[in-house]
Amino acid sequence: MSQDFEPQILAFCCKYCAYAAADLAGSMRLNYPPNIKVIQVPCTGRVDIIFLLRAIEEGADGVYVAGCLEGECHFVGGNLRARKRVNYVKKTLAELGIEPERVEMFNLSSAMGPRFAEIAIEMTDRIKKLGPTPVCRLAG
Ligand code: FES
């Protein structure tokens, strides 16, 4: 695999926690890979299965959802619904022959700027090891 592979990774981040943690990471001048494109959502319960599948279909190498800690979702169980959806998408990808590890769910609080940076690094490393998305190869 090319050493130059720079994965495209989408992160759906809840505005109350992960998005705020991303801001904090920035304020703390923590370095994390530029491969992560953050999409703010009002709650991870808003992230539908179709958003995740569409991201993969459109060529994202990885996608993750980052929501509030369990028990701390501002909309009660949005993050629990998100986790179920992520697990469903993982199963669907596996059935299609695509590595389920390309999709993940994380929970963190707004005070966890360093954890936000860690997650970004962890996902970038993981996707670099997996290599580019096979979706274009499968479609072609
Ligand atoms: Fe953050 Fe629901 S409000 S995951």
Side-chain angles (χ1 to χ4, degrees):
M1 168 171 342
S2 164
Q3 296 288 347
D4 302 333
F5 169 53
E6 289 298 339
Q8 298 285 326
I9 301 172
L10 284 186
F12 290 97
C13 295
C14 163
K15 76 170 183 176
Y16 291 102
C17 54
Y19 195 83
D23 266 353
L24 180 59
S27 307
M28 294 171 79
R29 300 189 183 281
L30 299 174
N31 283 328
Y32 59 86
N35 307 70
I36 312 295
K37 305 289 178 266
V38 172
I39 298 170
Q40 188 195 67
V41 291
C43 169
T44 55
R46 180 72 183 83
V47 180
D48 204 76
I49 287 169
I50 199 74
F51 296 179
L52 303 171
L53 290 174
R54 181 63 57 84
I56 295 289
E57 183 188 332
E58 294 289 330
D61 300 296
V63 187
Y64 64 91
V65 180
C68 298
L69 296 171
E70 292 196 4
E72 294 187 12
C73 172
H74 292 236
F75 298 92
V76 187
N79 52 0
L80 302 178
R81 282 196 298 281
R83 183 169 292 281
K84 277 189 189 160
R85 291 172 183 161
V86 165
N87 288 339
Y88 179 86
V89 169
K90 280 173 168 284
K91 267 176 53 186
T92 304
L93 292 184
E95 285 165 12
L96 293 170
I98 299 170
E99 304 91 345
E101 299 86 358
R102 291 185 185 277
V103 178
E104 199 54 82
M105 172 84 199
F106 296 96
N107 298 91
L108 69 172
S109 77
S110 59
M112 297 167 86
R115 178 65 185 136
F116 180 87
E118 245 176 53
I119 289 169
I121 293 166
E122 183 183 322
M123 278 303 285
T124 303
D125 287 350
R126 183 194 294 193
I127 303 299
K128 277 188 175 179
K129 281 186 191 127
L130 289 172
T133 175
V135 168
C136 297
R137 287 199 307 269
L138 291 174

